[in-house]
Amino acid sequence: MSTLIKLEEVWKIYHLGKTEVNSLRGVNLEIESGDFVTIMGPSGSGKSTLLNMIGLLDIPTKGRLLLKNKDVTKRTESELAQLRGKTIGFVFQEFNLLNHLRAWENVELPMIFQKIPQAIRRRRAMELLAQVNMANRADHQLAELSGGERQRVAIARAFANNPELVIADEPTGNLDSVTGQKVMEILLDFHEKMGGTLLVVTHDHNIGGYAEHQVFIKDGRIVSQDEAFGNK
Amino acid sequence: MVNNLGEYFKIAARNLKMRSLRSWLTVLGIIIGVFLIISLLSLSEGIKETINRQMMSLGGNMIFVMPGDDSNPLAGMMFGGDKLEARDLDAIRRTEGVKTVLGASYQSINVRYNTENKALTVEGFPLVEGADVLRKFQGWSLSSGRWPSASRREVVVGMQFGRDIFNAPVQPGDQLIIKGKKYTVAGILNSLGAKDDDSAIFMDIAEFQDLTGQQRGTAQIAMVQIDEAMDPNLIAQKIKDSLRRVQRRAYGSDDLHFAVITAEKVNDIVGGVMAVIQFAILAFAGIAILVGGIGITNTMYTSVRERTREIGIMKAIGATNGAIMSIFLFEASIIGFGGGIGGTVLGLGLAAIIQAYGQVHPLFYFTASFSPWIVIFGLGFSFLVGCLSGILPARQAAKLRPIEALRKYE
């Protein structure tokens, strides 16, 4: 297995007025291609910040971030956008779909930015929606879909460009437990079928149980499970 | 990025479709500006064309001699005063390159038709001697009746007599009492292209001079037809020299009291006046469009703020700065171009209505010009304004960092 993502002494410092907030304090982490990794930690521990770094949505204040052994810390925003579009798919807690588009158009959007021809886009969007059991709702406006359905559309969108890495930030956080479990099953199913790396931020220890690797974070540092959740 | 512009255009168009009343009000701002430009330009262009057409119908090889001076020929025409004496006309006639000289005079005279009295312009023209020139080079033609003969007291009348100069339309064979004398209407002319000519009575100049007491052989204005092979400006200069010689002999003075104008020069004067008018129109309408453009900028800024999250999502799933910039620029351009189309349609519509009104109303004589250039200008300009107005907001949208754009929503 090869290393997909490597973080070397990564720091992220925010400035809130005059106060400095150290969101990440020297994180070292390696994620192998094809792994299923969960990141867990209490609120405010820095897990979302870590996820944003790995997802190339944010850049470290200090330290290096390597994607497939290439330093991406100094890339321009447009280069990062290209990399994101090609290699990474996102599933957000609050879905982050475009409300004025139909379900299939949301799935199509990442492919537009990768310049994939229209005919292929439409077909692939339909296939992906079929895989999340949304084929019959493909033409629906987002407002007509339930939370669970929206998250399934978001999952289909995340896999649109055959990404090497899918990042899910509390994907079940806005769903009831039954729906959440279904969504999680679909996500894992996708991971198994399509390969690639899956990174999930979650509060849910059950999900952590499925993972090949579990990363725990507290106060901006990677710690053991016991340290993270105070089982001293 | 280049090959993806079509897709970004579609996204932009789809975004606009679901936008609020505000977008439509922004479009309205541009519509008003373009509407102003298009309607005023096509009318002023139409007026210019009408005048040019009249001048051209006179032929490029006509020269006018009238009292006044070169710098202000219109004043001489309006206030009269001096007239061309027989010796002046002779001098013009003898000038090299001159083919025919036609003297003409005009006066406002009381005219009676049936029981109605009206003060109308009566023009003395060389109807007999100059019939060919008038018909061939000035485009005179009869809509009914026949050309008057020299031996009888006959007149031809302008097109408006067949309509509404008097309560009842005048017809060939009818009688007009001009200064107490009876004249028979021999024929009615087709339009000469100007309202006052179409409302005038034309009689032979000899008859006119007998009627008004003006000395025979003189004229208020002379129309000179010249050799087509020669340069009108050169002959105009020669006519001036001839007239100056006469002047010197008669009065011992070199001051020339006549304007010698070529058709070309009349065009220049008209062109100059119209250029000033059109410049003013462009300036005012330009300001209107500029205000519309600021409206677009404002709408786009608001839109960027409202859609921060949407921009963040698009960036997260792979939209580059260029893609975001393109989408927002397209939205602004579509607003501009849409306003341009609306304004053009309305502007041309208004010009057409004014023109139609001018055709039936005796006081107006407006024509409009519907040249494709005006349309291309209106659309092109509004598109450009849209683009320019969109640049700053689009840059702001493109520069948003995805993480901040997404966080704002949370």
Side-chain angles (χ1 to χ4, degrees):
Chain A
M1 267 205 226
S2 59
T3 306
L4 181 68
I5 296 268
K6 190 173 183 189
L7 282 78
E8 294 177 349
E9 273 302 306
V10 165
W11 287 70
K12 185 70 192 181
I13 302 160
Y14 293 108
H15 294 272
L16 291 175
K18 280 178 185 168
T19 357
E20 267 191 7
V21 182
N22 292 311
S23 192
L24 294 179
R25 307 154 178 252
V27 170
N28 289 292
L29 180 65
E30 262 183 64
I31 297 170
E32 301 286 315
S33 285
D35 266 5
F36 170 24
V37 179
T38 55
I39 299 177
M40 300 180 80
S43 295
S45 59
K47 52 184 193 308
S48 282
T49 309
L50 179 61
L51 204 70
N52 290 335
M53 296 290 155
I54 297 171
L56 309 183
L57 289 169
D58 205 353
I59 43 169
T61 315
K62 270 191 286 184
R64 293 209 306 163
L65 175 66
L66 293 97
L67 177 71
K68 292 195 276 186
N69 290 321
K70 281 181 197 136
D71 189 355
V72 294
T73 330
K74 299 275 182 287
R75 298 290 179 89
T76 66
E77 169 47 36
S78 273
E79 287 170 334
L80 290 177
Q82 280 288 350
L83 272 178
R84 275 197 301 270
K86 238 187 303 190
T87 23
I88 305 172
F90 291 93
V91 180
F92 299 95
Q93 179 177 0
E94 56 284 334
F95 320 133
N96 277 344
L97 296 163
L98 297 192
N99 292 326
H100 63 280
L101 300 184
R102 294 167 193 280
W104 77 269
E105 288 170 335
N106 266 289
V107 181
E108 182 201 24
L109 201 56
M111 294 187 264
I112 291 180
F113 296 125
Q114 293 306 313
K115 298 169 191 162
I116 291 166
Q118 189 172 18
I120 299 175
R121 291 197 310 252
R122 168 103 209 207
R123 201 175 58 229
R124 175 144 176 82
M126 289 308 185
E127 282 167 11
L128 287 163
L129 284 171
Q131 288 187 53
V132 293
N133 300 324
M134 288 287 290
N136 56 340
R137 321 270 293 169
D139 265 328
H140 283 242
Q141 297 287 346
L142 275 214
E144 299 163 355
L145 303 182
S146 70
E149 287 172 325
R150 287 183 203 198
Q151 199 58 303
R152 282 191 272 162
V153 173
I155 291 171
R157 182 182 69 180
F159 283 91
N161 287 324
N162 285 317
E164 290 170 73
L165 170 65
V166 168
I167 294 176
D169 186 3
E170 309 251 13
T172 60
N174 275 357
L175 305 172
D176 65 73
S177 60
V178 179
T179 317
Q181 196 177 344
K182 269 189 198 150
V183 163
M184 210 51 225
E185 278 166 16
I186 287 170
L187 196 55
L188 292 175
D189 189 39
F190 251 111
H191 170 62
E192 257 165 49
K193 275 191 207 146
M194 322 239 327
T197 309
L198 178 61
L199 190 64
V200 180
V201 166
T202 183
H203 277 112
D204 187 342
H205 290 271
N206 295 328
I207 296 173
Y210 292 113
E212 286 148 358
H213 295 283
Q214 289 177 282
V215 175
F216 298 95
I217 185 165
K218 192 182 181 189
D219 297 331
R221 277 186 238 269
I222 292 183
V223 294
S224 71
Q225 181 170 10
D226 289 347
E227 277 181 85
F229 293 98
N231 303 334
K232 281 161 196 163
Chain B
M1 199 189 92
V2 174
N3 59 358
N4 227 18
L5 286 180
E7 298 296 340
Y8 300 155
F9 181 82
K10 276 191 236 163
I11 293 176
R14 198 163 45 190
N15 285 344
L16 282 176
K17 245 197 317 202
M18 33 104 23
R19 290 268 286 280
S20 54
L21 175 68
R22 201 179 52 221
S23 312
W24 289 108
L25 291 177
T26 316
V27 173
L28 191 62
I30 294 293
I31 287 181
I32 292 170
V34 175
F35 164 74
L36 273 175
I37 283 198
I38 295 289
S39 57
L40 295 178
L41 269 193
S42 53
L43 283 175
S44 67
E45 194 60 31
I47 292 168
K48 198 161 93 181
E49 271 176 20
T50 307
I51 295 171
N52 283 350
R53 213 173 18 246
Q54 278 176 31
M55 286 301 132
M56 281 306 125
S57 76
L58 300 179
N61 57 341
M62 292 292 286
I63 291 174
F64 301 88
V65 183
M66 55 186 85
D69 63 74
D70 272 357
S71 59
N72 197 356
L74 297 176
M77 253 166 114
M78 278 185 242
F79 305 119
D82 284 342
K83 64 181 195 296
L84 289 150
E85 301 294 341
R87 57 173 179 270
D88 298 321
L89 292 172
D90 276 346
I92 300 172
R93 222 165 256 133
R94 283 198 305 270
T95 307
E96 188 198 344
V98 170
K99 267 163 77 177
T100 324
V101 178
L102 303 176
S105 292
Y106 44 87
Q107 202 174 319
S108 180
I109 300 176
N110 209 31
V111 177
R112 197 168 86 206
Y113 175 63
N114 296 334
T115 54
E116 257 179 282
N117 278 295
K118 255 191 171 166
L120 294 168
T121 305
V122 179
E123 301 193 21
F125 259 71
L127 288 186
V128 181
E129 185 197 353
D132 275 355
V133 178
L134 292 176
R135 276 187 287 210
K136 275 190 203 148
F137 294 99
Q138 301 216 22
W140 288 36
S141 62
L142 292 167
S143 71
S144 59
R146 57 175 174 75
W147 204 253
S149 68
S151 52
R152 281 176 247 160
R153 278 194 189 158
E154 288 182 335
V155 294
V156 284
V157 294
M159 175 200 79
Q160 291 295 337
F161 282 85
R163 295 187 176 174
D164 52 3
I165 295 281
F166 293 107
N167 283 337
V170 174
Q171 278 162 3
D174 285 353
Q175 300 228 309
L176 296 174
I177 315 289
I178 305 174
K179 237 184 176 180
K181 286 188 179 174
K182 256 188 213 166
Y183 288 86
T184 308
V185 176
I188 295 175
L189 292 163
N190 284 317
S191 174
L192 296 172
K195 212 87 192 181
D196 28 353
D197 284 342
D198 287 343
S199 320
I201 298 166
F202 302 89
M203 61 173 67
D204 194 70
I205 184 146
E207 184 63 42
F208 175 85
Q209 286 170 335
D210 288 350
L211 181 71
T212 58
Q214 195 182 57
Q215 199 184 338
R216 276 225 191 188
T218 65
Q220 280 162 283
I221 178 168
M223 293 171 283
V224 183
Q225 196 199 0
I226 63 165
D227 199 327
E228 278 163 46
M230 298 191 69
D231 174 16
N233 293 316
L234 183 71
I235 298 179
Q237 191 53 48
K238 285 185 174 169
I239 291 173
K240 266 191 215 168
D241 293 343
S242 307
L243 286 171
R244 213 171 262 132
R245 271 196 297 278
V246 172
Q247 199 97 8
R248 199 156 41 221
R249 238 176 288 142
Y251 308 107
S253 143
D254 252 7
D255 292 347
L256 195 59
H257 298 289
F258 300 107
V260 180
I261 322 165
T262 58
E264 201 181 329
K265 173 136 194 211
V266 176
N267 271 349
D268 285 352
I269 294 168
V270 171
V273 172
M274 293 313 288
V276 171
I277 294 175
Q278 289 188 330
F279 178 78
I281 291 171
L282 280 180
F284 287 122
I287 291 169
I289 292 195
L290 186 73
V291 172
I294 293 170
I296 295 185
T297 307
N298 189 24
T299 306
M300 294 303 296
Y301 266 125
T302 317
S303 175
V304 170
R305 241 188 343 267
E306 283 175 352
R307 287 151 68 195
T308 300
R309 175 181 150 260
E310 185 183 321
I311 296 164
I313 295 171
M314 288 202 286
K315 288 197 136 188
I317 63 174
T320 58
N321 290 5
I324 300 289
M325 180 108 184
S326 305
I327 291 170
F328 275 82
L329 269 186
F330 273 132
E331 287 187 22
S333 322
I334 293 171
I335 292 179
F337 194 65
I341 292 176
T344 303
V345 170
L346 289 178
L348 292 179
L350 181 75
I353 289 170
I354 292 179
Q355 170 164 300
Y357 183 66
Q359 304 281 337
V360 296
H361 195 279
L363 279 180
F364 279 116
Y365 216 84
F366 273 126
T367 51
S369 161
F370 302 102
S371 91
W373 288 112
I374 292 181
V375 175
I376 290 170
F377 171 77
L379 294 182
F381 191 49
S382 52
F383 175 75
L384 196 71
V385 166
C387 278
L388 291 177
S389 321
I391 286 178
L392 289 178
R395 260 170 59 97
Q396 196 194 35
K399 276 176 16 194
L400 280 174
R401 300 194 55 82
I403 184 64
E404 279 149 23
L406 284 171
R407 192 185 296 132
K408 256 184 195 166
Y409 166 73
E410 286 169 13

